[in-house]
Amino acid sequence: MAGNNDVMKGNPPGILLIRSMRGKDWSLKTYKYVVLLITFIAYTSYHASRKPSSIVKSVLHPHPFLNITVSNPWPMGPVFLKNETLGPIDLFHSKKKGWEPFNDEDGTSKLGEIDVAFLACYSIGMYVAGHLGDSLDLRLFLTTGMIGSGIFVGLFGMGYFWKIHAFWFYLLMQMVAGLFQATGWPSVVAVIGNWFGKRKRGLIMGIWNAHTSVGNISGSLMAAGVLEHGWGWSFIVPGAFIFFAGIIVYLLLPAYPEDVGFPCPNRPSSVEDLSVTNDEEAQTVKENMVENGHDNVRRHGSGNRRSVGLLDACLIPGVIPFALCLFFSKLVAYTFLYWLPFYLSQTAIGGEYVSVKSAGNLSALFDVGGIVGGILAGHLSDKLDARATTAASFMYAAIPSMLLYRKYGSASKLMNILLMMIAGLFVNGPYALITTAVSADLGTHSSLRGDSRALATVTAIIDGTGSMGAALGPLLTGFLSTKGWDAVFIMLVVGALSAGLLLSRLVVSELSEKFSKQLPYGQHNSGGSASQPLLSDQK
């Protein structure tokens, strides 16, 4: 019986091999650690493969001031260099700088169009990918998306070696890559939601969500590190990273606890609380089910549940407000993701300009602040039991932090680093919270019945809507930056303010509920059911 269960399609081949070598299965706790690690690596590779386009912008369309040479590496020796020669393309001595077709006067607009092409396809593909993720084997679906992403990110870089100067080629490569990239986020959030219950979900997913910033940092370092050998390598290396990470997912990722014989913590059943009990008890129940032929756990594994339609998922309370909030939140976050290195290379910091490589390395510090912001937002939302209030507060705090960065970031090198990290903390905090804990909460909402699967679908609706904002922000930046960076920062402030205001009703609901709990018994509003916090039934 056990042997038959092992060949179920949801059981990864790498785990089968390890199980046969060990002679026994892993414990529930070990499986959870494995799932956290593999999904962390998976989405790190997704973000790393998105970063190269922001690093090479200043190579494809150099700033006229980049021929200024300065001495003394800043501020960390050879890590932040001020002057370098980028292989066959010498930014400082070539007669025609840049790379056709991006080195003309409308080069920044074309770069913005490349970004929006990727993000528009990513956003549209997200809605389809979410529904497919709830209908298909998540492990195989995620593997396909990662390998496809790696291939087309690499093909974009091959345009350098093949000496392609046709704009349509780069546009097409980004569009197809965007469609494959859409498989990532709904899938990994669904996997985490399947394995982990709601207890301390904000903190766990806040820490886990550091993969976004780690991916941005590693992508920046990889792309900048090989830039001197030609900008094509800046795409090929991250593309290879996500390709091989996809193979790891195929070999080792169990998408559902049921796929390896454990009950799902979000499924109502007589054994649903096993996820919070000790591993020995869970393992014993699992073995008894298999031995007695009662394979109830396995029946609900990959590909055997009913998925929820897009319309039904939209009707889950809170999905639409958080989706609209994320639209503006990602508009702000992705503008920094795609344009910060370019901004740094064009802005005199302490009276000096930094090189393209230095700007790419320096921009990674924004994501260091983002890691702290994601963890802090998740912890506070757990502690306060107020997801909307936490997200809105961070968005409001992002407004002064961005204005301070614009005004004083060029004053000195230390000030630029400090204000950049603070801005990253407040910008990425709510973005991380909404795309992780909030999406998982809503995807397992009590309005869903039985074994309906909505984790990937809800995540896709929220993040897909957010990705429309992510596409709009970089596109507008491509045009607004030609009029001056003050116009870009005004756009960012308006975006952050809009994100916070869209959560106002939910914030009032959460605060009203907390206030009513503090009133003496009998003084609660008799109509309190209308003001219950959005996620109160998730505890």
Side-chain angles (χ1 to χ4, degrees), residues 50-57 60 102 107-123 156 167 170-171 174-175 177-178 235 334-342 467-479:
R50 297 174 195 171
K51 194 64 178 176
S53 63
S54 69
I55 301 299
V56 303
K57 275 186 171 70
L60 303 178
F102 303 105
T108 55
S109 297
K110 287 182 177 178
L111 291 170
E113 290 170 15
I114 288 287
D115 290 341
V116 79
F118 171 88
L119 291 167
C121 290
Y122 175 79
S123 176
F156 189 102
F167 178 69
Y170 299 104
L171 189 69
Q174 285 290 76
M175 291 173 68
F235 287 87
Y334 268 65
T335 298
F336 278 100
L337 173 67
Y338 279 95
W339 285 94
L340 183 57
F342 189 74
S467 296
M468 292 182 184
L472 181 62
L475 176 65
L476 292 177
T477 302
F479 293 101

Side-chain angles (χ1 to χ4, degrees), residues 322-333:
F322 274 112
L324 294 175
C325 171
L326 191 64
F327 176 93
F328 290 100
S329 178
K330 288 192 75 170
L331 182 151
V332 176

Side-chain angles (χ1 to χ4, degrees), residues 121-171:
C121 290
Y122 175 79
S123 176
I124 295 170
M126 186 80 71
Y127 294 99
V128 178
H131 184 68
L132 290 176
D134 278 332
S135 306
L136 304 175
D137 187 324
L138 277 172
R139 177 173 59 89
L140 300 180
F141 186 61
L142 186 57
T143 299
T144 302
M146 295 175 72
I147 291 177
S149 296
I151 291 173
F152 283 94
V153 169
L155 285 175
F156 189 102
M158 288 303 298
Y160 168 80
F161 298 99
W162 294 337
K163 301 186 183 304
I164 296 176
H165 298 284
F167 178 69
W168 67 263
F169 172 82
Y170 299 104
L171 189 69

Side-chain angles (χ1 to χ4, degrees), residues 41 47 65 69 95 172 176 226 242 265 267 281 290 314 348 366 382 388 395 403 474 504 509 516 536-537:
I41 294 173
H47 261 262
F65 294 149
T69 58
K95 294 181 180 179
L172 180 62
V176 179
V226 296
I242 190 173
R267 178 172 58 87
E281 181 182 351
V290 172
C314 287
F366 180 85
D382 280 342
M395 289 312 307
L403 292 175
S504 296
S509 178
S516 66
S536 62
D537 55 0

Side-chain angles (χ1 to χ4, degrees), residues 13-160:
I15 288 180
L16 291 177
L17 177 62
I18 294 172
R19 184 183 298 167
S20 64
M21 293 174 62
R22 295 180 73 240
K24 60 179 181 179
D25 201 1
W26 282 332
S27 66
L28 178 64
K29 183 179 292 186
T30 300
Y31 271 115
K32 286 186 174 183
Y33 285 135
V34 169
V35 168
L36 281 173
L37 176 61
I38 294 176
T39 52
F40 188 96
I41 294 173
Y43 214 69
T44 293
S45 69
Y46 269 100
H47 261 262
S49 67
R50 297 174 195 171
K51 194 64 178 176
S53 63
S54 69
I55 301 299
V56 303
K57 275 186 171 70
S58 295
V59 176
L60 303 178
H61 181 77
H63 189 274
F65 294 149
L66 284 180
N67 59 2
I68 299 176
T69 58
V70 289
S71 59
N72 300 325
W74 169 82
M76 294 176 60
V79 177
F80 295 139
L81 299 174
K82 284 185 175 295
N83 193 356
E84 76 267 345
T85 300
L86 301 180
I89 302 177
D90 187 337
L91 293 185
F92 304 99
H93 301 101
S94 63
K95 294 181 180 179
K96 189 172 183 180
K97 303 181 181 68
W99 186 267
E100 295 181 5
F102 303 105
N103 60 347
D104 296 327
E105 291 183 359
D106 62 345
T108 55
S109 297
K110 287 182 177 178
L111 291 170
E113 290 170 15
I114 288 287
D115 290 341
V116 79
F118 171 88
L119 291 167
C121 290
Y122 175 79
S123 176
I124 295 170
M126 186 80 71
Y127 294 99
V128 178
H131 184 68
L132 290 176
D134 278 332
S135 306
L136 304 175
D137 187 324
L138 277 172
R139 177 173 59 89
L140 300 180
F141 186 61
L142 186 57
T143 299
T144 302
M146 295 175 72
I147 291 177
S149 296
I151 291 173
F152 283 94
V153 169
L155 285 175
F156 189 102
M158 288 303 298
Y160 168 80

